[in-house]
């Protein structure tokens, strides 16, 4: 399950759209400045898609449907690039290309994620799975490519933007392949790499595209990308925690290696490790085994050490925000997005202010 996107499984095994993921660490309600940016991004998507798909009406209809479904589930944290651009004194237009690209790209990524997890709901999308797959691939590749080509003010900026887009899609594909490949065992480092590819790289792309639009130098662009990557990993952790505490944890049902599970495997002694690995397998089909696995992850010593490691990442992100921006309301909002995400990424008994 990708960051910010939730699907509810009914008792009969079918699936439907869940509520927007407000539990994954974003402040609610939307701050007015971000609500305005969200509306602006939606208007830009609605304006640009018909332009780039002028000769492809069926693709336009399917892609528009995907974007319409997923825009109801977008968390405020997706607009970190907008906030950071303002806090860094960049022009308000610097984040526009990033936000339009993000909206289209995430619609494709989350649709394909639903399909891969067998959580696709045709009645929600108004599309058959084959139609959604083709539209989803287009939203990940050709459509944002065409949007960036048309929005770029010059060739140098265009080339930089397209390089960010290509890199993100490759990282995400690699991470998703690892995520759906059966692995008997994993590690903290391996899961972090998957998280960076699935969620960190897209957030990093948005910040890098914004920094490039602002004319920042390579070192500064790299720092923006690093912040986005770290923030995206934290967003994935927040989404994991929301799933872990749900009635039917999708990650345990699918056998997904989450960071918290990998931490548990590393935290227990060698005699307990086979027991944990066996429970992971059993949890894919047995609710009681899933509950026992959740209880082991919630053991005080295990939970406290996991919390310590997450807080380290949170402090790194906050330090980068301060380094890349100037004090003021926008910097405060950027810090709030990070702090609330960190808080939501922590186990329930550890969720105290950072």
């Amino acid at each position: 399950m990708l960051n910010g996107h939730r699907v509810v499984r009914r008792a009969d095994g079918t699936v439907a759209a869940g509520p927007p993921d407000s539990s994954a660490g974003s402040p609610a309600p939307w701050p007015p400045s971000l609500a305005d940016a969200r509306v602006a991004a939606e208007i830009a998507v609605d304006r640009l898609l018909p332009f780039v798909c002028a000769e492809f009406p069926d693709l336009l209809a399917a892609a528009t449907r995907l974007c319409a479904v997923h825009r109801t589930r977008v968390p405020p944290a997706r607009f970190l690039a907008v906030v950071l651009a303002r806090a860094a004194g960049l022009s308000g237009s610097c984040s526009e290309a990033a936000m339009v690209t993000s909206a289209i790209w995430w619609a494709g990524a989350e649709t394909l994620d639903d399909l891969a997890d067998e959580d696709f709901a045709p009645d929600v999308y108004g599309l058959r799975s084959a139609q959604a797959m083709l539209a989803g691939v287009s939203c990940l590749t050709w459509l944002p490519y065409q949007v960036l080509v048309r929005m770029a003010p010059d060739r140098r900026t265009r080339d930089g933007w397209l390089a960010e887009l290509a890199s993100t899609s490759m990282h995400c594909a690699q991470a998703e392949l690892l995520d759906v490949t059966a692995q008997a065992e994993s590690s903290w480092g391996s899961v972090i790499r998957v998280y960076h590819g699935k969620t960190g790289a897209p957030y990093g792309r948005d910040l890098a595209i914004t920094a490039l639009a602002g004319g920042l130098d390579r070192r500064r662009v790299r720092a923006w990308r690093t912040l986005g990557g770290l923030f995206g990993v934290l967003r994935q952790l927040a989404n994991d925690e929301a799933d872990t505490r749900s009635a039917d944890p999708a990650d345990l049902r699918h056998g997904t290696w989450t960071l918290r599970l990998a931490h548990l495997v590393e935290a227990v002694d060698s005699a307990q490790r086979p027991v944990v690995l066996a429970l992971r397998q059993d949890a894919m089909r047995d609710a009681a085994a899933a509950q026992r696995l959740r209880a082991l992850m919630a053991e005080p010593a295990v939970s406290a050490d996991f919390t310590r490691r997450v807080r380290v990442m949170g402090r790194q992100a906050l330090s980068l925000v301060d380094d890349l921006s100037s004090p003021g309301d926008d910097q405060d909002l950027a810090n709030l997005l990070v702090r609330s995400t960190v808080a939501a990424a922590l186990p329930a008994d550890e969720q105290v202010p950072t």
Side-chain angles (χ1 to χ4, degrees), residues 66 111-112 115 120 128-138:
L66 262 57
T111 298
L112 294 182
L115 290 165
F120 179 74
R128 298 192 304 274
S129 59
Q131 293 173 308
M133 180 183 68
L134 292 169
V137 170
S138 295

Side-chain angles (χ1 to χ4, degrees), residues 261 280 348:
L261 178 57
R280 171 183 167 267

Side-chain angles (χ1 to χ4, degrees), residues 95 114 243 245 258:
S95 59
D114 281 355
D243 182 68
R245 287 186 275 143
T258 63

Side-chain angles (χ1 to χ4, degrees), residues 1-2 5 7 9 13 15 109-121 176 179-180 198 236 239 243 250-251 253-256:
M1 183 171 58
L2 282 170
H5 178 63
V7 172
R9 184 173 293 271
V15 294
E110 291 177 335
T111 298
L112 294 182
D113 190 59
D114 281 355
L115 290 165
D117 288 345
E118 299 181 351
D119 282 336
F120 179 74
E176 287 290 352
D179 204 28
V180 300
K198 287 173 59 174
Q236 186 63 51
N239 197 55
D243 182 68
D251 288 332
R253 176 163 33 88
H254 295 141
T256 301

Side-chain angles (χ1 to χ4, degrees), residues 57-91:
D58 292 335
L59 176 58
L60 172 61
T64 299
R65 184 60 189 153
L66 262 57
C67 289
V69 168
H70 289 284
R71 68 177 40 164
T72 65
R73 308 171 186 177
V74 175
R78 291 269 175 87
F79 289 83
L80 176 63
V82 174
V83 181
L84 194 64
R86 292 171 178 166
L90 301 184
S91 166

Side-chain angles (χ1 to χ4, degrees), residues 250-275:
D251 288 332
L252 294 181
R253 176 163 33 88
H254 295 141
T256 301
W257 276 103
T258 63
L259 197 60
R260 199 169 172 192
L261 178 57
H263 174 74
L264 172 65
V265 171
E266 292 183 352
V268 298
D269 59 40
S270 57
Q272 281 187 293
R273 192 162 297 145
V275 175

Side-chain angles (χ1 to χ4, degrees), residues 41 44-46 48-49 52 63 66-67 70 98-111 135-136 138-145 147-148 205:
V45 169
D46 292 343
L48 285 164
L49 277 183
V52 300
L66 262 57
C67 289
H70 289 284
M99 293 299 92
V100 174
T101 299
S102 179
I104 297 171
W105 191 93
W106 275 109
E110 291 177 335
T111 298
S138 295
C139 285
L140 283 173
T141 54
W142 183 78
L143 291 177
Y145 175 93
V147 165
L148 289 176
R205 172 205 61 214

